[in-house]
Amino acid sequence: FSSESVCCSTMSYRPYSQCTYKVSTPAPITPHTAPAGSPTKQPTNKPTTPVDTRWYPGASKCMNDGQAPSWQHNKYSSQSTCCKSHFNWGYNGCMGTKKVGSGKWYINWGLSKCVKDCEKSQGGSCGGLVPGSWILTHSSASACCTAHMSFASIAECQYNY
């Protein structure tokens, strides 16, 4: 980790003072804030409370809506850092981006064919996007077929819609 505060932010169940071994008191962490709303026309008796707009992990994605639960100590200045820290397995979904195919080849065991990593709607040898980062990809249909279906010819192994 690049700093104590980043390290400690991964241990939301521990107060900062219990996370670090330093004897001195750390400087207080100040939240990134934004105005709570537009100013009122008439002065009010109550001050407005700033909203903490740092990114925090929700149930399935990172959010910065200012509604982080009081127990949530994992807060980040960027959505990307939050997603990498808590939803790396579903990074694109957390970021709200759509995955794009690589054009490489992988084995689709359901079809018993080597298919290209691209949307099926594109036709040809496109067999859909690689379902996970654990799937081995290859630079060509030939390399994929040799690695996974060496008993079949390239024509039998390669998917063509």
Side-chain angles (χ1 to χ4, degrees):
F1 293 99
S2 60
S3 72
E4 284 176 359
S5 61
V6 174
C7 177
C8 291
S9 71
T10 64
M11 294 187 275
S12 60
Y13 52 89
R14 294 231 185 251
Y16 186 87
S17 60
Q18 291 179 0
C19 173
T20 180
Y21 287 101
K22 282 190 174 180
V23 177
S24 63
T25 305
I29 299 172
T30 56
H32 298 277
T33 59
S38 38
T40 58
K41 292 181 182 179
Q42 295 292 323
T44 62
N45 293 334
K46 296 180 182 179
T48 56
T49 305
V51 176
D52 186 349
T53 58
R54 289 179 293 172
W55 293 90
Y56 67 95
S60 61
K61 65 179 182 176
C62 289
M63 302 182 291
N64 70 338
D65 57 6
Q67 302 295 315
S70 59
W71 52 263
Q72 181 58 263
H73 298 289
N74 294 312
K75 295 181 183 174
Y76 304 89
S77 59
S78 75
Q79 181 183 18
S80 178
T81 303
C82 180
C83 290
K84 284 178 184 174
S85 298
H86 298 278
F87 302 101
N88 198 37
W89 49 266
Y91 181 79
N92 288 320
C94 179
M95 290 294 293
T97 57
K98 185 176 179 183
K99 185 179 175 206
V100 178
S102 66
K104 292 187 176 185
W105 294 81
Y106 68 97
I107 186 73
N108 179 322
W109 290 111
L111 297 173
S112 296
K113 301 272 185 185
C114 281
V115 299
K116 205 170 191 180
D117 177 25
C118 47
E119 294 284 351
K120 284 182 183 179
S121 61
Q122 291 180 283
S125 296
C126 293
L129 299 177
V130 173
S133 59
W134 61 90
I135 304 292
L136 185 61
T137 59
H138 306 274
S139 59
S140 66
S142 175
C144 178
C145 291
T146 299
H148 302 288
M149 297 187 64
S150 59
F151 57 88
S153 69
I154 300 295
E156 292 172 321
C157 168
Q158 182 179 337
Y159 177 74
N160 281 309
Y161 178 70

